[in-house]
Amino acid sequence: MQDQPKRGSLLVIFLTVFIDLLGFGMVLPLLPIYAKQFGTDESGITLGLLMASFSVMQFIFAPMWGRLSDRIGRRPVLMVGLAGSVVFYTLFGIATVMESLTLLFVARIGAGLAGATISTAHAYIADTTSLENRPKGMALIGLAFGLGFTLGPLLGALAVPWESMNAPAESAAQNVQLGPWPGYVAAILSAAALLLAIFVLPESLHAKSESAARKRFNLAALREAISVPSIGLILLTIFIVVFSFSNLETTLSLVLKEQFQLTLRDVLLTFAFIGLVLAFVQGGLVRPLSGRVNEAALAGGGAALQILAFGWIIYLLGLPAEQRGMGAAYGVLALCTAGFAFVTPSLNSLLSRRSDPAQQGGAMGLGQSTSSLARIVGSGLGIYLYEDISHRMPYYVAGGLMAVGLVMIVIVGLSGKDFRAETK
């Protein structure tokens, strides 16, 4: 195993994750406009299904891609995923031009299927880093995650006519016709990453480890890996913390429009701000601290920050509208995002360290699938709580779930050992 992967390899892995989150961040703040343009039902069920379709595909296919990469190698799986992104983001642009809801669903389902290879990107990092450098490698993926979520909303702005950018978001959703360029630009970036993968990316599974993976991989071995108590606890913890954060993720655009009366431009900029904070914390804080502070401590600190942030959100939303300042809103979003930036790569690193190297792709796929399932469930619950109970209720639930997650992180940190230590 290499202690440091080559720079060209890191660039391709970085771009793979970046493009996955670029598409996710591009669509999220523009969903109200898609709802109007494609004539979805007023109940929001179709819109919810459109949003969930991406995560459903990742839930189903992330473990499958990961397990396949354990057998045939990481490189071919990553290239297939990037090729799929080229096709389906192009289709996304075409669907916008044709104003076809059916094609839009096909594009989002396909993008989710192709983007599910993010689990293989995690496995590639695990293949090419030592246990000591593993947290830094996972933080690099987190940095790509943050930058993709930063530029996604800005890329989405290419679809919106300039004269509509300063209109209230609700008004813009009723009057704007989207353009196709977000899909086309994402397809071009995917094609560039695919070319880099073809000409630059080496295979990370060495002949010995690849042979071992082919020989040892089967469903019984995978069930055995999941049965390890620490692995099961980590997956459950990932589900809880992502479920918690998804309450903010899916209700934020509603809060910004309805509680803070932001324009469409400011909604897009706020989502970009969240991604920028995520990228800064992942690259500027998590990576330097990784290796010096253990993963459980980093994840626990991040969970504590998020609990404080959810309490702050509840306080802000309880104030009269004229007393809610956007400065405080940006502060609380920065705090919550920074906490999430510490939690996710740390838990992924723990999952990798405690998994059999021959089953690394399958293990990381399970982690990604768990995150996707949490987003699917959390999305539906968050919107329901906000619309039908109280605009503060999603954050009470999020804070309570994150408190449970913090307890789980402590338990995970105190139990279990690295895979190599367990086999000695």
Side-chain angles (χ1 to χ4, degrees), residues 139 142-143 145-146 149 241 245 248 273-287 289 295 297-310 312-313 329-346 402 409:
L143 175 61
F145 188 106
F149 202 85
V241 299
F245 189 75
L248 171 67
F273 169 77
I274 291 172
L276 187 63
V277 171
L278 190 61
F280 172 78
V281 175
Q282 295 275 18
L285 295 178
V286 178
R287 289 201 83 202
L289 288 174
E295 290 98 326
L298 289 175
L305 288 178
Q306 288 186 86
I307 293 170
L308 291 174
F310 289 131
W312 191 358
I313 293 173
Y330 275 110
V332 71
L333 288 175
L335 184 67
C336 191
T337 304
F340 192 71
F342 275 99
V343 171
T344 47
S346 302
M402 193 58 68
I409 289 168

Side-chain angles (χ1 to χ4, degrees), residues 14 31 149 260 289 299 315 354 416:
F14 184 92
L31 283 177
F149 202 85
F260 290 91
L289 288 174
Y315 169 75
R354 296 183 182 181

Side-chain angles (χ1 to χ4, degrees), residues 152-173:
L154 299 180
L155 180 61
L158 294 173
V160 184
W162 178 256
E163 61 271 15
S164 302
M165 290 298 287
N166 289 316
E170 191 67 32
S171 172

Side-chain angles (χ1 to χ4, degrees), residues 215-229:
K215 180 179 178 181
R216 297 171 57 188
F217 176 79
N218 52 58
L219 290 177
L222 185 61
R223 285 194 295 269
E224 182 180 350
I226 301 172
S227 69
V228 176

Side-chain angles (χ1 to χ4, degrees), residues 54 123 130 132 177 185 201 226 228 244 288 343:
F54 186 92
S130 64
E132 293 72 22
Q177 293 294 304
V185 171
L201 187 70
I226 301 172
V228 176
S244 169
V343 171

Side-chain angles (χ1 to χ4, degrees), residues 78-162:
L78 289 170
M79 288 194 298
V80 169
L82 288 169
S85 294
V86 174
V87 172
F88 289 111
Y89 279 123
T90 300
L91 185 61
F92 184 94
I94 294 171
T96 306
V97 172
M98 296 180 62
E99 298 188 8
S100 169
L101 184 61
T102 301
L103 280 182
L104 193 65
F105 263 102
V106 173
R108 292 305 292 158
I109 289 170
L113 189 156
T117 55
I118 190 174
S119 61
T120 306
H122 280 99
Y124 193 103
I125 292 293
D127 292 339
T128 54
T129 55
S130 64
L131 288 175
E132 293 72 22
N133 289 325
R134 190 71 45 80
K136 292 183 179 180
M138 295 302 171
L140 179 70
I141 289 182
L143 175 61
F145 188 106
L147 287 175
F149 202 85
T150 301
L151 295 179
L154 299 180
L155 180 61
L158 294 173
V160 184
W162 178 256

